[in-house]
Amino acid sequence: MFAWVLGGTSEGRQLCELCASHGVPTVVSVASEYGGELVEDLRGVEVRVGKLNADDMTRLIAEGVACVLDATHPYAQNVSRNVRAVCENTGTPYFRVLRPETPFVGGNVVRVKTPEEAAAYLAAREGHALLTTGVNSLPAFTEIPDFKRRLSVRVLPDRQSLARCHELGFSTEQIIAMKGPFPRALNEALLQARGARFLVSKDGGDVGGAQDKADAAQNVGATLVLIERPPEPLGCPSGDIKAALRFANARLGRPEMPRPRFPIFLDLDSKRVVVFGGGRIAVRRVQTLLAYGAQVRVVAPELCGCMPNGVETTLRKYQNGDCDGAALVVAATDDKSVNAAIAAEAKALGIPISCASDAALGSFHFPGTFRDEAVSVGLTSGDCRYSKHLVRSLAMHWPTIRNVAQCSLRAERARTHDDTSESES
């Protein structure tokens, strides 16, 4: 059994990443080559490219779909309607992933319900228009009598989109083939370069750059013609990608996604920490603790050869009372019952305990860590492999992150200094 994600969007990509990191068997279907590129590098996620009709969807569900997670675009009404009908006919649980709407603060905004209404609005007025609504809505705008003179269209730079534009009669000069995101300044430049009085858009939310389009239109004196979102059907389970993951876990009979832990940073300098166990996991815990200045005592019948130097060792099995005086305890033996006994003693003494064999027995999760001078980062995700990947990625990109943060801080301090100087003058 597996979860079927209908993707092709940024939240579809994020949902697939979340499912993969939590070990949820996942198949994602996308309609276009571009949609496939969004998810092609995800391990453990099977990607299927191509449009699906009702029969195709039914056959896919018969392969073992436990639930359908619809993360298509908010305006992809036909796809969502079709898959909901198939789910109803086959008794397959359906979940709609929602994208937050944009409030659109400021500017001259004209709201319409459909592309046809937007085209009628433009047809009744003079002036050039930049269309950013996607290739599927373009047929409505070809009804404008002089559309070849009055319209510019921004579409994805893939073969399908470009071919469709030419089929509809748009010339190469009218087509702007670009892949987002599109910041406000770029939208302004395109509006000015085309001499556009109108910017036609859908509410794609933050990920679709909706507010950036509105701000750009306002700044150049253009009117934003907004095609409003179609209403979502009532009664369907819906929410964000985390809610979708919980929905999938429940339908697959998997454990509930754990609630995120609150991070607390402790001063372990010269503090006594007792680690039970002498294997590879215990060694990694000891190495991390020593890096933060802890005085580590290891209790184990035997030690592997890579145990760091400079730790106090007691070569025997755990005994009740071994936790006395510790600021922190780590249970990392290869015997779950021993780890449970250690956890029980530590909790009775009010000592924070991390249990390697069963995190639920502990009172804290031992995080993946990254350090750079005074900066200390701790990561936990409920999936140790995912946490390790995050730590490695952070270490790889840390010089860039640090430099950007330092530049931002210098700029903020400079602005604060300028504001203070002006208030004092």
Side-chain angles (χ1 to χ4, degrees):
M1 301 294 285
F2 57 90
W4 171 21
V5 175
L6 282 83
T9 58
S10 57
E11 54 264 58
R13 160 79 189 199
Q14 293 164 2
L15 177 56
C16 288
E17 288 178 339
L18 195 60
C19 287
S21 69
H22 285 80
V24 175
T26 304
V27 169
V28 58
S29 63
V30 295
S32 66
E33 296 174 356
Y34 170 71
E37 293 172 1
L38 289 175
V39 289
E40 64 183 357
D41 59 337
L42 293 180
R43 292 183 179 180
V45 176
E46 181 183 344
V47 182
R48 302 192 185 184
V49 180
K51 294 183 178 180
L52 303 177
N53 59 30
D55 291 337
D56 297 327
M57 295 176 178
T58 302
R59 283 192 290 269
L60 176 54
I61 285 176
E63 293 181 24
V65 171
C67 62
V68 172
L69 309 178
D70 182 1
T72 56
H73 197 276
Y75 290 81
Q77 284 182 287
N78 291 336
V79 176
S80 291
R81 186 186 303 114
N82 291 342
V83 75
R84 282 197 304 272
V86 170
C87 286
E88 289 176 6
N89 292 336
T90 59
T92 306
Y94 170 89
F95 185 96
R96 178 63 168 138
V97 178
L98 299 179
R99 181 184 293 186
E101 295 189 37
T102 308
F104 291 106
V105 178
N108 183 16
V109 181
V110 174
R111 296 177 179 270
V112 297
K113 299 294 184 184
T114 64
E116 289 74 15
E117 287 188 21
Y121 176 86
L122 294 177
R125 289 159 179 81
E126 291 294 327
H128 199 85
L130 172 61
L131 308 184
T132 64
T133 56
V135 71
N136 290 331
S137 64
L138 291 183
F141 296 95
T142 61
E143 297 300 317
I144 298 175
D146 51 352
F147 80 92
K148 292 186 177 182
R149 177 181 64 85
R150 290 191 54 199
L151 302 182
S152 295
V153 297
R154 188 169 72 191
V155 297
L156 286 171
D158 59 50
R159 290 177 295 176
Q160 293 164 305
S161 296
L162 295 175
R164 182 59 174 153
C165 287
H166 289 301
E167 287 173 9
L168 292 170
F170 289 96
S171 66
T172 301
E173 289 75 17
Q174 290 177 276
I175 300 170
I176 303 170
M178 301 177 70
K179 177 181 176 297
F182 303 103
R184 174 188 52 76
L186 179 55
N187 287 318
E188 289 179 11
L190 290 175
L191 287 167
Q192 291 171 329
R194 296 294 172 126
R197 289 184 54 207
F198 305 96
L199 172 62
V200 185
S201 177
K202 295 177 179 178
D203 179 8
D206 287 344
V207 295
Q211 189 61 55
D212 283 332
K213 293 179 186 178
D215 292 342
Q218 180 181 14
N219 290 347
V220 302
T223 298
L224 175 67
V225 182
L226 177 69
I227 302 173
E228 295 182 325
R229 287 191 189 182
E232 295 288 347
L234 299 176
C236 290
S238 60
D240 61 12
I241 60 173
K242 291 183 179 179
L245 177 61
R246 290 193 292 269
F247 185 86
N249 279 331
R251 298 317 178 274
L252 287 163
R254 294 170 52 85
E256 178 72 13
M257 182 175 63
R259 189 176 296 277
R261 296 294 184 103
F262 180 76
I264 295 177
F265 291 85
L266 302 176
D267 179 10
L268 292 180
D269 188 36
S270 301
K271 300 292 193 307
R272 183 178 180 82
V273 179
V274 182
V275 176
F276 295 92
R280 289 180 294 121
I281 294 177
V283 168
R284 291 200 298 269
R285 300 292 189 264
V286 169
Q287 289 171 336
T288 300
L289 292 164
L290 289 175
Y292 285 87
Q295 292 184 348
V296 180
R297 176 193 178 199
V298 176
V299 178
E302 56 183 347
L303 307 176
C304 69
C306 51
M307 183 65 71
N309 296 324
V311 300
E312 177 188 347
T313 58
T314 302
L315 299 180
R316 60 165 172 76
K317 294 183 178 181
Y318 158 75
Q319 296 178 359
N320 189 45
D322 282 340
C323 296
D324 286 344
L328 210 65
V329 171
V330 176
T333 77
D334 57 4
D335 189 324
K336 293 183 178 179
S337 63
V338 172
N339 289 340
I342 296 168
E345 180 189 346
K347 288 181 178 179
L349 295 172
I351 302 171
I353 166 74
S354 170
C355 186
S357 60
D358 186 352
L361 291 177
S363 58
F364 77 95
H365 283 199
F366 205 97
T369 60
F370 172 78
R371 293 184 63 197
D372 177 56
E373 298 177 352
V375 175
S376 181
V377 178
L379 285 167
T380 182
S381 66
D383 183 327
C384 62
R385 289 175 298 178
Y386 184 46
S387 296
K388 289 177 183 176
H389 177 75
L390 288 173
V391 170
R392 287 196 296 267
S393 297
L394 178 61
M396 181 185 305
H397 298 290
W398 179 250
T400 300
I401 295 171
R402 179 185 56 207
N403 290 339
V404 169
Q406 289 173 343
C407 290
S408 176
L409 179 59
R410 284 195 294 267
E412 182 179 336
R413 285 172 173 168
R415 287 195 301 271
T416 302
H417 179 267
D418 291 342
D419 292 343
T420 302
S421 299
E422 289 178 6
S423 64
E424 293 174 350
S425 60

